[in-house]
Amino acid sequence: MNELSNCTQENGDMTSSYSTTKTSIEGSRRVNTNELLPSLATIDDASSEPVSSSLLVLPNELLHHVFSFLDEDPPSERIFTQLPSRDWTDHAAAPLKALSTVSHRVRAIVVQSLFKHARLDPCRLTPFLEFVHQFDLASSIESMVAHVSDFRDCFHPAWYVRLLNEVPATRLVVGCEPHAIAETAGIQMNLTDRWAFNIPYQYLELRQPTFEAIRQTSYDYLPGLLGAKHWESIRVNEGSSLAAYTSYEYFLKKPPSLLSNVHTCLSSIPFDPENLQETFPSTLIQVALTQLTLTQQMLQNLQGFSFVAVFPFYNHVDDILKCIRRMRNLKRLFIKLCPEPESMVLDEAVEAAEGHIDLNDPWNEITTAYTLVAHTIRYMAVEGRLERVVIDDTKIEALCSTIVDHISATLQTFWTHNGKGVWTRSATITSQPLG
């Protein structure tokens, strides 16, 4: 069986698909595919004599290094911070895939890199795993992208437990509608105002260290995705809130947000969830409290967190920041609340709303939100272990000075700003008041 006939790269169109990550040495020149393929295409390792000008006269170790210059980050990595879309893993260029069709020898050299990144539909998990095991690819896969197209058909048994037990990848990305992400995570989501936001798709990325990836999760107890592993870092892209700005008293609306509902659920418990399990022995309550306990532990263990959204309300950002404050071991924080400077998202929203958006509202919300962000950063440096903060929106010229002034003034001299939206803690500030 030809692998590519059943399992294409991440930019393909089959149930399971694969791309490659960048493994070349930093600073090295990237090889142009058009320069490399012609010299290889003149050789058929089964029927032709190699010529001196062909790369195939080199040993496999050197060829592997040369071919590594064609490696690229998968689409799901490169465009994660852009507006979520169902075609986010599509990509026109697939240099390693093209290279693998040159000859059997070349394919054997690049095959492990070719399948570093997998894309799958959880509703077709069994064929995906059969393919992985047939060609012994489990140890080659480093990350997986799951597009949950029909959540109801693949929830029982928990697809992510089986997937993570059989493929020890260190990165899992879930892309689906907001309610499906919440159900997968084992968190009840408030969808009352979903109509106002009209958010069709969101991303959730989870990373785990290699030693954790090989740990098996028991099938006797199927936790939500957030509690299934000891995740090291999480990235969330909640999409755009612009549609809700056309609603009356928009600021009272609650967006469909996993993290906001995590904060709400944990805040609604007046005591330690572990102690409540003894107070309320009901099976259903036990299961819910266990999920919350695992979620709380997950937040406390996180070392990296990224939050991406497009013009969220400042009170929603406040909920996210309260959730971040539970991450006491957090070291790295990334925040992006606006689209890219060249993006047409705002213009398209104004056109769709036929002008029924006051453009001052989104920008005022963001300005207020970054005031709250600055105080949370300071709090996390004092009460937690925060060391590095990246504010991606400083690339927006109209916002840059406002963001830098808010954050630098709050952090004072205990943090160093590199002038490009990156703050690094340079001193201990536990002796200073939080304010």
Side-chain angles (χ1 to χ4, degrees), residues 168-187:
T170 56
R171 175 178 179 256
L172 174 63
V173 190
V174 178
C176 54
E177 296 180 20
H179 72 91
I181 283 186
E183 292 289 342
T184 303
I187 298 295

Side-chain angles (χ1 to χ4, degrees), residues 306-327:
S306 298
F307 178 73
V308 180
V310 175
F311 291 115
F313 307 157
Y314 89 86
N315 51 5
H316 174 60
V317 174
D318 188 42
D319 286 343
I320 301 300
L321 294 174
K322 289 175 181 176
C323 195
I324 292 175
R325 291 191 178 208
R326 296 177 181 271
M327 307 174 188

Side-chain angles (χ1 to χ4, degrees), residues 208-241:
Q208 59 181 335
T210 303
F211 69 85
E212 172 63 21
I214 62 177
R215 181 182 67 85
Q216 297 289 294
T217 300
S218 174
Y219 288 105
D220 294 333
Y221 168 68
L222 299 177
L225 179 57
L226 295 182
K229 290 284 189 173
H230 296 158
W231 303 112
E232 185 177 54
S233 67
I234 286 181
R235 292 203 296 173
V236 177
N237 187 332
E238 291 191 345
S240 174
S241 295

Side-chain angles (χ1 to χ4, degrees), residues 123-154:
C123 297
R124 300 185 62 190
L125 180 59
T126 297
F128 171 82
L129 293 176
E130 288 175 349
F131 180 88
V132 169
H133 295 318
Q134 180 180 358
F135 295 99
D136 194 24
L137 297 172
S139 60
S140 301
I141 298 175
E142 296 180 359
S143 73
M144 298 177 288
V145 174
H147 166 59
V148 184
S149 57
D150 190 346
F151 180 76
R152 293 169 295 178
D153 291 341
C154 55

Side-chain angles (χ1 to χ4, degrees), residues 78-85 203 237 239 308 310 336 340:
R78 294 195 301 273
I79 67 173
F80 187 91
T81 59
Q82 297 180 18
L83 195 66
S85 169
Y203 303 151
N237 187 332
V308 180
V310 175
K336 179 179 176 64
E340 293 293 319

Side-chain angles (χ1 to χ4, degrees), residues 61-104:
E61 293 79 7
L62 287 179
L63 286 176
H64 183 275
H65 178 70
V66 171
F67 297 158
S68 71
F69 285 86
L70 291 176
D71 286 357
E72 297 178 339
D73 290 333
S76 62
E77 178 72 36
R78 294 195 301 273
I79 67 173
F80 187 91
T81 59
Q82 297 180 18
L83 195 66
S85 169
R86 285 183 171 82
D87 60 358
W88 62 315
T89 57
D90 294 344
H91 186 52
L96 276 182
K97 180 179 177 181
L99 185 63
S100 70
T101 64
V102 170
S103 71
H104 291 293

Side-chain angles (χ1 to χ4, degrees), residues 100-118:
S100 70
T101 64
V102 170
S103 71
H104 291 293
R105 181 188 173 197
V106 171
R107 180 173 179 79
I109 294 173
V110 303
V111 68
Q112 298 301 316
S113 297
L114 187 64
F115 296 113
K116 282 183 179 180
H117 299 271

